[in-house]
Amino acid sequence: MLGIVLLGFFAAKAARMRGRNPWVWGSLTVAVITAVTWQQLPVWAETVFYRGKIKQSTIPQRKVINLAEAKKINIRVSMDDVNFDVPLVYNFKGYNQQLRGWGNVPQKQIEGKKRLAVDFIKIDAILPDLSPLREENLAQFEKLAWGQNLHASITHMRPWDHYFKYFIERLQRQPDSPDLPGMLHYYDPSGKANIFFSHDHPTDELVRIRCADENFFHSAYPICVVETSYRPAPDMVISAPIKKTVFSLRYELPSQYIAQWQTIDQKLKSRFDQMVSNNATSLP
């Protein structure tokens, strides 16, 4: 709010220099900015208070969902006509460590009265069991345990034709890796990464794994990115046309787990299957 007042002050000063009424222009500036941004004021205030020295009791009261409550809440979304009920505990990026909970979940979502159409569904989990946020692993999440974190997302299907037409010719063929048997091994000299493919041609079932060259980047927590497809299990989807739906699946995997990627891949797809809602009717 102080920032808005200061903007009004500067507007009034500028108006006076131009020979106009400073009170009118200053007040008008404050009124316009407040009208446009009033919904975000609690968020601004919360940020300012937390970064300053003011006690937490002065923070405007907002609905904060703690971990115990979050276990009972699913975020209802729809993508490509497939409905998903995503447990809130899989959304660590929305978890506020200072609030010790989730503070930006719309009330209609909490009450289950609204299903949003989305382009991405993202989840965060702890390896090797793909555990969501729980009391026993809260410290691991909060410390950002990069050596065990998995970040995954599904989105609309993206064909591989363009990639194979324009980019694969730049890659250098390498001997197969014992950690990834059956995968074709290439090296990307421009991106300094090892690339692994399940096929040498574009298909919906293609798997591409990209691992940063540890000899070049020297990262403390090297990451591999797995890109593949996800098709909801047929018995989880009611409508016949929806049963043919295929999504692009992408997840970041610590390189220490790369030899186990197939097991993790199956677990991850099973988790998404568990989130598919058999309620074919979208909520208003």
Side-chain angles (χ1 to χ4, degrees):
M1 194 64 193
L2 179 60
I4 296 177
V5 173
L6 288 174
L7 288 174
F9 172 78
F10 287 124
K13 187 175 181 180
R16 177 179 294 176
M17 293 176 63
R18 296 186 178 185
R20 298 182 180 180
N21 190 321
W23 290 103
V24 172
W25 285 94
S27 301
L28 182 61
T29 299
V30 171
V32 171
I33 295 177
T34 301
V36 172
T37 64
W38 69 272
Q39 290 182 320
Q40 299 300 321
L41 284 177
V43 177
W44 293 2
E46 184 177 293
T47 301
V48 172
F49 286 139
Y50 269 127
R51 292 180 179 175
K53 301 295 183 181
I54 300 176
K55 294 181 179 179
Q56 183 170 338
S57 60
T58 62
I59 298 174
Q61 294 300 309
R62 300 170 59 198
K63 172 63 177 177
V64 176
I65 301 170
N66 60 36
L67 187 52
E69 295 171 320
K71 294 177 182 179
K72 306 173 185 177
I73 296 175
N74 291 328
I75 302 302
R76 300 188 175 192
V77 296
S78 176
M79 185 165 59
D80 293 343
D81 296 321
V82 179
N83 292 338
F84 293 86
D85 294 345
V86 185
L88 184 57
V89 288
Y90 276 105
N91 178 22
F92 177 68
K93 291 184 179 179
Y95 178 84
N96 189 310
Q97 296 184 36
Q98 294 167 318
L99 292 176
R100 306 294 292 180
W102 290 260
N104 295 311
V105 183
Q107 188 63 33
K108 289 185 178 180
Q109 285 283 341
I110 298 174
E111 297 171 353
K113 295 181 178 180
K114 188 174 183 180
R115 187 180 295 278
L116 299 175
V118 297
D119 295 312
F120 290 89
I121 296 175
K122 301 180 180 181
I123 65 172
D124 310 299
I126 289 284
L127 294 166
D129 298 325
L130 274 66
S131 304
L133 193 61
R134 295 171 178 163
E135 290 86 352
E136 58 267 27
N137 62 23
L138 180 58
Q140 288 179 282
F141 271 105
E142 291 184 334
K143 291 179 181 178
L144 299 177
W146 297 112
Q148 288 185 273
N149 282 6
L150 179 140
H151 307 289
S153 66
I154 56 173
T155 186
H156 313 293
M157 190 60 194
R158 296 169 175 171
W160 287 98
D161 303 72
H162 183 81
Y163 182 88
F164 273 83
K165 184 176 181 180
Y166 295 104
F167 294 100
I168 198 169
E169 62 184 18
R170 305 177 187 178
L171 306 181
Q172 301 170 352
R173 189 73 166 90
Q174 302 292 312
D176 292 347
S177 170
D179 289 336
L180 294 166
M183 299 288 284
L184 305 174
H185 185 191
Y186 293 81
Y187 186 77
D188 181 358
S190 60
K192 298 295 185 291
N194 290 287
I195 311 291
F196 302 89
F197 294 98
S198 60
H199 301 78
D200 60 358
H201 57 280
T203 70
D204 285 347
E205 290 72 32
L206 180 78
V207 178
R208 186 184 80 154
I209 301 177
R210 185 182 190 278
C211 299
D213 186 348
E214 298 180 28
N215 295 323
F216 181 84
F217 290 104
H218 305 291
S219 173
Y221 302 103
I223 296 294
C224 293
V225 178
V226 181
E227 295 172 277
T228 180
S229 60
Y230 162 63
R231 191 188 304 269
D235 57 339
M236 300 300 298
V237 183
I238 298 175
S239 172
I242 295 177
K243 289 182 180 180
K244 300 179 181 179
T245 302
V246 183
F247 297 101
S248 287
L249 169 63
R250 181 185 187 276
Y251 52 97
E252 299 175 9
L253 190 67
S255 61
Q256 63 177 326
Y257 287 98
I258 195 59
Q260 307 172 39
W261 80 268
Q262 289 178 307
T263 300
I264 294 171
D265 189 86
Q266 292 174 357
K267 287 183 179 179
L268 183 57
K269 291 175 181 177
S270 177
R271 292 298 166 87
F272 277 113
D273 279 344
Q274 293 170 13
M275 298 177 194
V276 173
S277 173
N278 284 320
N279 180 6
T281 304
S282 295
L283 297 174

